[in-house]
Amino acid sequence: MKIILASESPRRRDLLSLIGCKYEAYSPNVDESILEGEPPECACGRLSAAKAEKARLLFADALIIAADTLVTIDNDVFGKPCNSDEARVMLNKLNGREHKVITGLTIIFMGKTITETETTIVCFRKLSENDMEAYISTGEFQGKAGAYAIQGYASLFVERIDGDYFNVVGLPLQRLSRMFERIGIEYEKQLNIGD
């Protein structure tokens, strides 16, 4: 069974490899803009479904996996910052506070589509200006929802999490496994064991 990960995220690719999954990566070109007034859970689901559908057009017989992650606090929804100024705004807002990391996850297989979301609460410790500037100078914020990578330098900022750590990295593996089961894919097939 061919598995396609419809994502340009190296973190998602690493996570699938970590569990031994054999897959091919495809980077769908999807507008990741959030619609006016769209709740973040809906935006994540819509965007992951759009990525999966784009991949399905090219790989009709494959199992398609797609995801989209956003960070939300108060009424602000953060995707990937375009530059260091946007990253600074995001980090200042998250500084010393709890926020939600939401990932929309879509799988398509044998004409069936399932989309679900996973939410994890993350609490940052209080950061100094020097902490934030030093982090921004690493460039690690680039391509990261909310301007940080929990598995990188920003791990030093995280005071606690409530929920799935892998969701914060970008791919909630437990939910993905349960979704596979719901669509009728057994464990060894999820990983392409023996293929």
Side-chain angles (χ1 to χ4, degrees):
M1 171 177 60
K2 177 180 275 192
I3 298 176
I4 300 294
L5 175 63
S7 175
E8 63 186 22
S9 166
R11 277 110 14 229
R12 292 188 184 116
R13 295 175 184 186
D14 289 346
L15 287 175
L16 277 187
S17 296
L18 179 72
I19 61 171
C21 186
K22 298 173 187 171
Y23 66 93
E24 294 177 25
Y26 163 69
S27 297
N29 185 15
V30 171
D31 179 2
E32 295 187 7
S33 301
I34 299 165
L35 305 177
E36 181 80 26
E38 185 177 28
E41 292 84 358
C42 295
C44 288
R46 176 181 58 80
L47 293 172
S48 70
K51 292 174 183 179
E53 180 58 26
K54 195 146 198 182
R56 186 195 63 78
L57 295 174
L58 294 175
F59 308 99
D61 296 329
L63 165 65
I64 309 293
I65 304 166
D68 190 80
T69 301
L70 295 173
V71 170
T72 180
I73 186 168
D74 301 331
N75 293 320
D76 294 323
V77 180
F78 298 145
K80 302 166 190 165
C82 294
N83 53 47
S84 58
D85 290 336
E86 284 190 12
R88 193 172 290 108
V89 168
M90 292 178 187
L91 291 172
N92 269 304
K93 186 78 173 186
L94 302 177
N95 190 6
R97 301 186 60 202
E98 283 188 354
H99 59 276
K100 292 180 181 178
V101 178
I102 305 167
T103 299
L105 190 57
T106 298
I107 58 173
I108 298 176
F109 185 62
M110 303 288 287
K112 297 178 185 174
T113 302
I114 299 176
T115 299
E116 295 183 5
T117 59
E118 183 76 27
T119 300
T120 302
I121 306 296
V122 179
C123 183
F124 270 20
R125 67 175 174 83
K126 186 68 177 166
L127 307 172
S128 69
E129 288 294 322
N130 286 342
D131 291 335
M132 286 187 281
E133 290 306 318
Y135 182 70
I136 289 168
S137 73
T138 69
E140 186 179 78
F141 69 86
Q142 296 172 9
K144 314 295 192 305
Y148 76 93
I150 194 171
Q151 73 281 10
Y153 298 118
S155 61
L156 301 174
F157 300 166
V158 177
E159 196 168 77
R160 67 180 184 281
I161 70 168
D162 180 13
D164 185 345
Y165 166 83
F166 296 108
N167 181 49
V168 186
V169 179
L171 190 65
L173 296 175
Q174 284 292 326
R175 182 169 294 275
L176 178 63
S177 182
R178 291 193 306 269
M179 289 170 70
F180 283 160
E181 289 169 3
R182 283 185 46 214
I183 214 163
I185 300 170
E186 297 173 0
Y187 180 74
E188 64 274 8
K189 289 297 183 183
Q190 293 178 30
L191 306 181
N192 271 354
I193 293 170
D195 286 0

